[in-house]
Amino acid sequence: MFFLTITCVLVLGLYLLPLWRNQGGRGLAALSPAVLATAWLILLENHLVDRPDILPDALAPLLFSQYLLGPAWLLFSLSYGRELRWAGLSVADKLLALFSLLPLVFIVPLPPSTFFFVADFKAEPLLFLEPGAFFFYLHLVLVLLLAAGNLESTLRGSQHSDRWRLKLAFLGAGLIILSLAVFYSQGLLVRVLNMRYLPLRTFAILMGALLLCFAEWRRHSGRVRMARR
């Protein structure tokens, strides 16, 4: 598990190198938060499984790190292959961006015990969710799926000559987004986060990160820009 975690984080970090070369500082600033937030969350959640003694002190950083996934991947989806300017966004995209920030209203003032109940995490790596956590994970999964929808819209709106350069990048990003959405959808179905599924999710994210790296290194997909129309 340790080797898989470190490999996944290193590949995600490696993706930032061609990103800088192909898109420059502005592109890196817009796209790197999603990669960094995902890498940090992988490290944190896998560390919780290995070191359950750090609970419950780690619950607040965990909750905030999970929250960051939504805005970060939404920013990624609005930036990749597009010229991102707040004034150039549609009204729907602006409302969606503001909607992604909504959980800050209640996760900052409320204690983690409002969202999580931990029984014997060392024996059973389960995080039981309190009623308020249902709305948090509903929001997170919804924002992640909307981000995936934005990527699909960008791909459909691209020219045929550019599509072959973009499709692997979007397949990689989509695999990461959907693996995160599926993992956290546990909170909607059974009100429990089962950390035994972390290796499977980490492997899926690693495959997505490899596709992203290949798309940037070999196909230079980050250099494609789509007109707004």
Side-chain angles (χ1 to χ4, degrees), residues 191-212:
R191 305 294 179 91
V192 172
L193 291 185
N194 190 339
M195 296 301 183
R196 293 193 185 95
Y197 296 131
L198 282 179
L200 183 61
R201 190 197 67 176
T202 303
F203 180 76
I205 292 175
L206 175 59
M207 294 298 101
L210 288 172
L211 288 173
L212 280 173

Side-chain angles (χ1 to χ4, degrees), residues 18-47:
L19 196 62
W20 172 269
R21 182 186 64 182
N22 293 338
Q23 304 213 28
R26 185 174 181 180
L28 187 68
L31 301 178
S32 61
V35 177
L36 294 174
T38 303
W40 165 249
L41 191 67
I42 290 172
L43 284 173
L44 179 59
E45 290 187 338
N46 287 315
H47 185 59

Side-chain angles (χ1 to χ4, degrees), residues 5-221:
T5 300
I6 296 302
T7 302
C8 185
V9 171
L10 287 177
V11 173
L12 286 169
L14 187 64
Y15 171 66
L16 299 179
L17 297 178
L19 196 62
W20 172 269
R21 182 186 64 182
N22 293 338
Q23 304 213 28
R26 185 174 181 180
L28 187 68
L31 301 178
S32 61
V35 177
L36 294 174
T38 303
W40 165 249
L41 191 67
I42 290 172
L43 284 173
L44 179 59
E45 290 187 338
N46 287 315
H47 185 59
L48 284 179
V49 176
D50 295 333
R51 292 283 308 278
D53 54 289
I54 66 175
L55 290 172
D57 295 336
L59 289 179
L62 174 66
L63 186 66
F64 188 74
S65 300
Q66 292 172 351
Y67 154 73
L68 289 177
L69 290 174
W73 279 107
L74 182 63
L75 177 63
F76 184 99
S77 71
L78 292 173
S79 307
Y80 205 101
R82 308 185 188 189
E83 291 290 345
L84 179 65
R85 291 181 299 105
W86 178 258
L89 292 177
S90 66
V91 175
D93 286 337
K94 289 179 180 178
L95 291 176
L96 180 56
L98 295 175
F99 175 70
S100 71
L101 303 176
L102 183 61
L104 276 179
V105 176
F106 53 88
I107 68 171
V108 171
L110 296 178
S113 58
T114 308
F115 303 93
F116 299 113
F117 170 73
V118 182
D120 188 355
F121 193 80
K122 187 174 183 179
E124 293 286 342
L126 305 174
L127 291 177
F128 297 93
L129 305 183
E130 299 291 353
F134 175 84
F135 298 99
F136 172 77
Y137 287 107
L138 176 63
H139 177 275
L140 176 58
V141 171
L142 182 59
V143 172
L144 288 173
L145 293 179
L146 289 171
N150 279 338
L151 293 178
E152 182 186 5
S153 298
T154 303
L155 185 63
R156 284 191 286 104
S158 62
Q159 297 181 0
H160 181 74
S161 58
D162 292 331
R163 202 165 295 169
W164 71 275
R165 297 171 64 183
L166 289 169
K167 62 182 180 181
L168 274 186
F170 287 173
L171 182 61
L175 181 58
I176 295 174
I177 292 172
L178 291 179
S179 64
L180 292 169
V182 168
F183 181 81
Y184 293 116
S185 65
Q186 298 177 77
L188 307 180
L189 298 174
V190 294
R191 305 294 179 91
V192 172
L193 291 185
N194 190 339
M195 296 301 183
R196 293 193 185 95
Y197 296 131
L198 282 179
L200 183 61
R201 190 197 67 176
T202 303
F203 180 76
I205 292 175
L206 175 59
M207 294 298 101
L210 288 172
L211 288 173
L212 280 173
C213 286
F214 182 82
E216 289 291 341
W217 280 108
R218 298 300 300 271
R219 294 191 171 183
H220 309 294
S221 58

